[in-house]
PDB file of all heavy atoms in Angstrom:
ATOM      1  N   GLY B  24      36.337 -50.091 122.048  1.00 66.00           N
ATOM      2  CA  GLY B  24      36.577 -48.899 121.054  1.00 66.00           C
ATOM      3  C   GLY B  24      36.366 -49.243 119.695  1.00 66.00           C
ATOM      4  O   GLY B  24      36.335 -50.369 119.351  1.00 66.00           O
ATOM      5  N   GLN B  25      36.297 -48.240 118.873  1.00 79.00           N
ATOM      6  CA  GLN B  25      36.012 -48.552 117.374  1.00 79.00           C
ATOM      7  C   GLN B  25      37.070 -47.677 116.599  1.00 79.00           C
ATOM      8  O   GLN B  25      37.275 -46.526 116.835  1.00 79.00           O
ATOM      9  CB  GLN B  25      34.606 -48.134 116.941  1.00 79.00           C
ATOM     10  CG  GLN B  25      33.577 -49.015 117.597  1.00 79.00           C
ATOM     11  CD  GLN B  25      32.163 -48.571 117.428  1.00 79.00           C
ATOM     12  OE1 GLN B  25      31.931 -47.415 117.704  1.00 79.00           O
ATOM     13  NE2 GLN B  25      31.326 -49.422 117.072  1.00 79.00           N
ATOM     14  N   ASN B  26      37.659 -48.361 115.581  1.00 91.00           N
ATOM     15  CA  ASN B  26      38.505 -47.744 114.645  1.00 91.00           C
ATOM     16  C   ASN B  26      38.284 -48.176 113.199  1.00 91.00           C
ATOM     17  O   ASN B  26      38.196 -49.339 112.983  1.00 91.00           O
ATOM     18  CB  ASN B  26      39.926 -48.109 115.014  1.00 91.00           C
ATOM     19  CG  ASN B  26      41.008 -47.253 114.369  1.00 91.00           C
ATOM     20  OD1 ASN B  26      40.795 -46.026 114.210  1.00 91.00           O
ATOM     21  ND2 ASN B  26      41.962 -47.907 113.861  1.00 91.00           N
ATOM     22  N   ILE B  27      38.029 -47.165 112.396  1.00 96.00           N
ATOM     23  CA  ILE B  27      37.759 -47.417 110.995  1.00 96.00           C
ATOM     24  C   ILE B  27      38.670 -46.602 110.150  1.00 96.00           C
ATOM     25  O   ILE B  27      38.853 -45.414 110.393  1.00 96.00           O
ATOM     26  CB  ILE B  27      36.282 -46.949 110.617  1.00 96.00           C
ATOM     27  CG1 ILE B  27      35.343 -47.620 111.566  1.00 96.00           C
ATOM     28  CG2 ILE B  27      35.984 -47.179 109.245  1.00 96.00           C
ATOM     29  CD1 ILE B  27      33.909 -47.171 111.458  1.00 96.00           C
ATOM     30  N   ASP B  28      39.395 -47.296 109.217  1.00 97.00           N
ATOM     31  CA  ASP B  28      40.502 -46.634 108.472  1.00 97.00           C
ATOM     32  C   ASP B  28      40.098 -46.803 106.907  1.00 97.00           C
ATOM     33  O   ASP B  28      39.665 -47.833 106.487  1.00 97.00           O
ATOM     34  CB  ASP B  28      41.761 -47.361 108.605  1.00 97.00           C
ATOM     35  CG  ASP B  28      42.326 -46.999 109.918  1.00 97.00           C
ATOM     36  OD1 ASP B  28      42.338 -45.761 110.296  1.00 97.00           O
ATOM     37  OD2 ASP B  28      42.863 -47.900 110.723  1.00 97.00           O
ATOM     38  N   GLN B  29      40.224 -45.676 106.187  1.00 97.00           N
ATOM     39  CA  GLN B  29      40.128 -45.568 104.820  1.00 97.00           C
ATOM     40  C   GLN B  29      41.257 -44.713 104.311  1.00 97.00           C
ATOM     41  O   GLN B  29      41.809 -43.803 105.067  1.00 97.00           O
ATOM     42  CB  GLN B  29      38.872 -44.863 104.407  1.00 97.00           C
ATOM     43  CG  GLN B  29      37.654 -45.215 105.108  1.00 97.00           C
ATOM     44  CD  GLN B  29      36.542 -44.556 104.586  1.00 97.00           C
ATOM     45  OE1 GLN B  29      35.636 -43.965 105.425  1.00 97.00           O
ATOM     46  NE2 GLN B  29      36.291 -44.229 103.206  1.00 97.00           N
ATOM     47  N   PRO B  30      41.632 -44.917 103.052  1.00 97.00           N
ATOM     48  CA  PRO B  30      42.607 -44.019 102.417  1.00 97.00           C
ATOM     49  C   PRO B  30      41.997 -42.617 102.381  1.00 97.00           C
ATOM     50  O   PRO B  30      40.822 -42.435 102.076  1.00 97.00           O
ATOM     51  CB  PRO B  30      42.783 -44.565 101.031  1.00 97.00           C
ATOM     52  CG  PRO B  30      41.697 -45.426 100.794  1.00 97.00           C
ATOM     53  CD  PRO B  30      41.269 -45.941 102.060  1.00 97.00           C
ATOM     54  N   THR B  31      42.839 -41.551 102.479  1.00 97.00           N
ATOM     55  CA  THR B  31      42.355 -40.215 102.547  1.00 97.00           C
ATOM     56  C   THR B  31      41.717 -39.714 101.109  1.00 97.00           C
ATOM     57  O   THR B  31      40.912 -39.157 100.980  1.00 97.00           O
ATOM     58  CB  THR B  31      43.439 -39.258 103.089  1.00 97.00           C
ATOM     59  OG1 THR B  31      43.658 -39.660 104.314  1.00 97.00           O
ATOM     60  CG2 THR B  31      42.947 -37.781 103.179  1.00 97.00           C
ATOM     61  N   GLU B  32      42.725 -39.998 100.109  1.00 97.00           N
ATOM     62  CA  GLU B  32      42.410 -39.623  98.779  1.00 97.00           C
ATOM     63  C   GLU B  32      42.728 -40.628  97.767  1.00 97.00           C
ATOM     64  O   GLU B  32      43.739 -41.411  97.925  1.00 97.00           O
ATOM     65  CB  GLU B  32      43.230 -38.271  98.484  1.00 97.00           C
ATOM     66  CG  GLU B  32      42.766 -37.033  99.166  1.00 97.00           C
ATOM     67  CD  GLU B  32      43.516 -35.783  98.803  1.00 97.00           C
ATOM     68  OE1 GLU B  32      43.183 -35.383  97.646  1.00 97.00           O
ATOM     69  OE2 GLU B  32      44.216 -35.245  99.508  1.00 97.00           O
ATOM     70  N   MET B  33      42.028 -40.665  96.578  1.00 98.00           N
ATOM     71  CA  MET B  33      42.287 -41.530  95.511  1.00 98.00           C
ATOM     72  C   MET B  33      42.087 -40.749  94.177  1.00 98.00           C
ATOM     73  O   MET B  33      41.174 -39.834  94.214  1.00 98.00           O
ATOM     74  CB  MET B  33      41.545 -42.806  95.548  1.00 98.00           C
ATOM     75  CG  MET B  33      41.842 -43.602  96.800  1.00 98.00           C
ATOM     76  SD  MET B  33      40.887 -45.212  96.776  1.00 98.00           S
ATOM     77  CE  MET B  33      41.780 -46.058  95.470  1.00 98.00           C
ATOM     78  N   THR B  34      42.743 -41.084  93.151  1.00 98.00           N
ATOM     79  CA  THR B  34      42.489 -40.547  91.900  1.00 98.00           C
ATOM     80  C   THR B  34      42.404 -41.592  90.837  1.00 98.00           C
ATOM     81  O   THR B  34      43.126 -42.624  90.903  1.00 98.00           O
ATOM     82  CB  THR B  34      43.671 -39.553  91.370  1.00 98.00           C
ATOM     83  OG1 THR B  34      43.749 -38.470  92.385  1.00 98.00           O
ATOM     84  CG2 THR B  34      43.288 -38.906  90.048  1.00 98.00           C
ATOM     85  N   ALA B  35      41.393 -41.468  89.981  1.00 97.00           N
ATOM     86  CA  ALA B  35      41.202 -42.571  88.967  1.00 97.00           C
ATOM     87  C   ALA B  35      40.717 -41.944  87.663  1.00 97.00           C
ATOM     88  O   ALA B  35      40.177 -40.719  87.711  1.00 97.00           O
ATOM     89  CB  ALA B  35      40.190 -43.536  89.452  1.00 97.00           C
TER      90      ALA B  35
END
Side-chain angles (χ1 to χ4, degrees):
Chain B
Q25 294 169 311
N26 190 42
I27 301 171
D28 286 315
Q29 314 177 226
T31 303
E32 291 187 67
M33 299 183 70
T34 301

